[in-house]
Amino acid sequence: MTIDPGTVAQWQEWVGRSESRTEMLEVEGLRRYAAALGEDLDVEHVLPSLAHWACFLPVVAPDGLGPDGHPKRGGFLPPVTLPRRMFAASEMCFPAPLIPGWEATRLSTIMGVTHKAGRSGDLVLVEVEHAIEQAGRLRVSERQTIVYRDAGEPTPAIIPADLPGVPESVTWQPRSVDLFRFSAVTFNSHRIHYDLPYATGEEGYPGLVVHGPFTAARLFGFASARNGPPAEFAFRAAAPIFVDQPITLAPDGENGVKAVRCDGATAMAARLKY
């Protein structure tokens, strides 16, 4: 173990911490989010996929940002020192729809901090639970897994393969402007999504990285177009996706959907419940 157990114990003191935010679910913000996803702009009647991700956005002054563009470590989340951070997985349920233009409250709680060490290096997993209430009723419940890891080796370029067609699938090829718009509507300033020299030179990626939440929202939209919005949605990211390369959104068994890269690797898998 390269991280001192005492340091891990200090980070685990964050378990149980919570914060509450109340804000208006602003209609035009939801509309811009729908536009970034390529979905129906009539958000007053049709909510965009995973609409709660357009709300309760982190607001940090410029001097509160770290070198990667994320807010500096500490505050609500524990000050994990591993250099790389990613939103790796989530489990959500939707007991009732959000109401655009109405006030809502989100209660966020740190549920767990776990350290793992293996051949790939150190990992710290932080589990965060969010509960969004509106008009006296729970609307969204979500448990996120945020993973911190070592810098690791550079990620090799993705080499497209000659893949067979997938029945009932949709091809999505995110462009740099799509990444910019998604970053803007979610106020995500992580530099791997828009700063090519940083993404390649500092974090060792072969190109701009597509946001995990962007892919998850596209998968949710793909599933909704086939069978209506699911009551429960859980996803796990398995591999990075890069700009300007085609992604296949496809069914994955009876109760799942997946995003498959142009080299055939499953980048994200999601399970559904109606």
Side-chain angles (χ1 to χ4, degrees), residues 106-127:
R106 186 185 73 175
L107 177 65
S108 304
T109 307
I110 306 295
M111 303 301 292
V113 177
T114 306
H115 172 243
K116 297 182 179 181
R119 286 181 292 180
S120 60
D122 285 296
L123 293 175
V124 173
L125 284 67
V126 178
E127 303 281 342

Side-chain angles (χ1 to χ4, degrees), residues 12 31 64 69 86 89 109 147-148 152 165 179 186 198-199 205 207 222 229 235 242 245-246 249 252:
Q12 290 172 336
R31 202 180 322 278
M86 67 176 188
T109 307
V147 174
Y148 298 82
L179 271 60
T186 57
Y198 175 85
Y205 290 114
F222 172 73
F235 75 86
F242 301 102
Q245 293 191 319
L249 308 180
D252 186 19

Side-chain angles (χ1 to χ4, degrees), residues 95-272:
L98 295 170
I99 308 172
W102 287 41
E103 191 173 79
T105 297
R106 186 185 73 175
L107 177 65
S108 304
T109 307
I110 306 295
M111 303 301 292
V113 177
T114 306
H115 172 243
K116 297 182 179 181
R119 286 181 292 180
S120 60
D122 285 296
L123 293 175
V124 173
L125 284 67
V126 178
E127 303 281 342
V128 184
E129 187 172 87
H130 301 290
I132 300 175
E133 293 188 357
Q134 191 180 40
R137 186 174 179 184
L138 179 66
R139 305 280 168 167
V140 180
S141 176
E142 178 177 13
R143 184 164 180 143
Q144 299 180 350
T145 301
I146 301 169
V147 174
Y148 298 82
R149 63 175 179 84
D150 290 318
E153 297 297 321
T155 303
I158 304 304
I159 307 300
D162 186 14
L163 303 174
V166 179
E168 303 181 64
S169 67
V170 170
T171 299
W172 171 47
Q173 187 160 323
R175 306 162 297 167
S176 57
V177 68
D178 299 318
L179 271 60
F180 169 82
R181 280 157 58 97
F182 191 82
S183 287
V185 297
T186 57
F187 210 48
N188 183 339
S189 53
H190 193 185
R191 294 169 64 185
I192 63 173
H193 305 306
Y194 60 87
D195 185 340
L196 184 59
Y198 175 85
T200 57
E202 294 295 325
E203 298 217 10
Y205 290 114
L208 294 177
V209 182
V210 179
H211 316 65
F214 198 177
T215 304
R218 289 296 302 242
L219 281 175
F220 187 95
F222 172 73
S224 298
R226 299 179 72 235
N227 297 306
E232 297 181 13
F233 181 78
F235 75 86
R236 182 169 297 277
I241 294 174
F242 301 102
V243 71
D244 292 327
Q245 293 191 319
I247 307 301
T248 300
L249 308 180
D252 186 19
E254 184 178 354
N255 298 306
V257 289
K258 60 183 177 180
V260 181
R261 294 193 315 199
C262 59
D263 63 346
T266 296
M268 181 176 289
R271 309 307 298 172
L272 320 166

Side-chain angles (χ1 to χ4, degrees), residues 19-34 36 49-61 65 70-71 76-77 85 87 98 104-106 108 130 132 142 144 180-189 211 213:
E19 67 174 14
S20 179
R21 291 181 56 184
T22 298
E23 66 177 47
M24 196 73 68
L25 301 193
E26 200 259 332
V27 172
E28 293 309 315
L30 289 168
R31 202 180 322 278
R32 288 188 289 270
Y33 176 76
S49 297
L50 306 181
H52 63 289
W53 282 351
C55 312
F56 305 101
L57 304 179
V59 179
V60 178
L65 296 175
H70 275 308
F76 172 63
L77 292 172
R85 170 186 164 181
F87 181 6
L98 295 170
T105 297
R106 186 185 73 175
S108 304
H130 301 290
I132 300 175
E142 178 177 13
Q144 299 180 350
F180 169 82
R181 280 157 58 97
F182 191 82
S183 287
V185 297
T186 57
F187 210 48
N188 183 339
S189 53
H211 316 65

Side-chain angles (χ1 to χ4, degrees), residues 38-69:
E39 295 188 351
D40 193 336
L41 301 185
D42 185 13
V43 297
E44 292 91 339
H45 298 96
V46 182
L47 282 173
S49 297
L50 306 181
H52 63 289
W53 282 351
C55 312
F56 305 101
L57 304 179
V59 179
V60 178
D63 61 2
L65 296 175
D68 60 358

